[in-house]
Amino acid sequence: MAHWLMKSEPEVYGIAHLDAEGTTLWDGIRNYQARNFMRSMVIGDRAFFYHSNATPPGIVGLMEVIETGLTDPSQFDSGSKYFDPKSSAAAPRWDCVRLRHLRTFGRLLSLEELREQFDPDTLPVVRRGNRLSILPVEEASALRIYALLGETP
DNA sequence: GCCAACGTTGGC
DNA sequence: GCCAACGTTGGC
């Protein structure tokens, strides 16, 4: 069981939305590196929900991967901002996973605090200028994140 | 294949 | 609003 970190802007889709819905399709990923991370996800993996473009930005909750290898439907939707004219049903470029809400943490673990605790080699999200919306989290780092939050893994 | 221009993400 | 980082695009 691996850990990941997945970013979303709270005003667009935050942990409260996921909590209300229970599960969600993590669609709209249009970066090959992030897509490839999603492709390596396995059912049962966990992902920290990270609020980006927030004040302050940080980790707010925990999700579980419940379905993998799904085709991202928004790539075919000409009305969507995620429409990709180079994509076809025969050769889709983008896929996604389904996630389930596991926990909303009692507090936000801010990027500032993460920067105090980790360097970019052990937790890439703290790297200045980092833009990747999906990142792997090493097991040791994941355990430390739980500990900092006073949560049980 | 190189590389400059451009676009996007996201912190501050 | 600015800027760092960096992926993508297109001319050559």
Side-chain angles (χ1 to χ4, degrees), chain A residues 70-111:
Chain A
L70 303 166
T71 301
D72 182 341
S74 65
Q75 67 194 305
F76 307 124
D77 176 4
S78 59
S80 166
K81 67 179 277 203
Y82 299 118
F83 176 65
D84 185 347
K86 291 183 237 170
S87 218
S88 68
R93 318 184 133 205
W94 307 108
D95 43 58
C96 55
V97 297
R98 182 169 290 280
L99 297 151
R100 170 169 84 90
H101 179 271
L102 283 185
R103 291 180 226 174
T104 298
F105 295 138
R107 72 178 183 96
L108 176 142
L109 181 57
S110 70
L111 177 60

Side-chain angles (χ1 to χ4, degrees), chain A residues 110-122:
Chain A
S110 70
L111 177 60
E112 184 183 24
E113 191 172 354
L114 290 171
R115 288 210 162 111
E116 289 165 6
Q117 299 290 331
F118 299 94
D119 63 53
D121 293 330
T122 52

Side-chain angles (χ1 to χ4, degrees), chain A residues 10 24 27 36-37 40 43-44 54 59-60 70 90 99 102 132 147:
Chain A
T24 192
D27 60 356
N36 293 341
F37 282 138
S40 65
I43 291 171
I59 290 170
V60 292
L70 303 166
L99 297 151
L102 283 185
L132 256 192

Side-chain angles (χ1 to χ4, degrees), chain A residues 17-95:
Chain A
H17 297 103
L18 179 61
D19 193 14
E21 288 189 324
T23 77
T24 192
L25 205 59
W26 205 268
D27 60 356
I29 299 301
R30 294 294 178 271
N31 171 288
Y32 288 106
Q33 218 179 327
R35 182 201 67 181
N36 293 341
F37 282 138
M38 272 201 304
R39 285 188 174 174
S40 65
M41 288 180 184
V42 171
I43 291 171
D45 279 359
R46 286 174 166 194
F48 293 108
F49 197 125
Y50 179 94
H51 278 175
S52 60
N53 255 319
T55 46
I59 290 170
V60 292
L62 186 66
M63 307 181 277
E64 180 187 9
V65 177
I66 57 169
E67 247 183 306
T68 58
L70 303 166
T71 301
D72 182 341
S74 65
Q75 67 194 305
F76 307 124
D77 176 4
S78 59
S80 166
K81 67 179 277 203
Y82 299 118
F83 176 65
D84 185 347
K86 291 183 237 170
S87 218
S88 68
R93 318 184 133 205
W94 307 108
D95 43 58

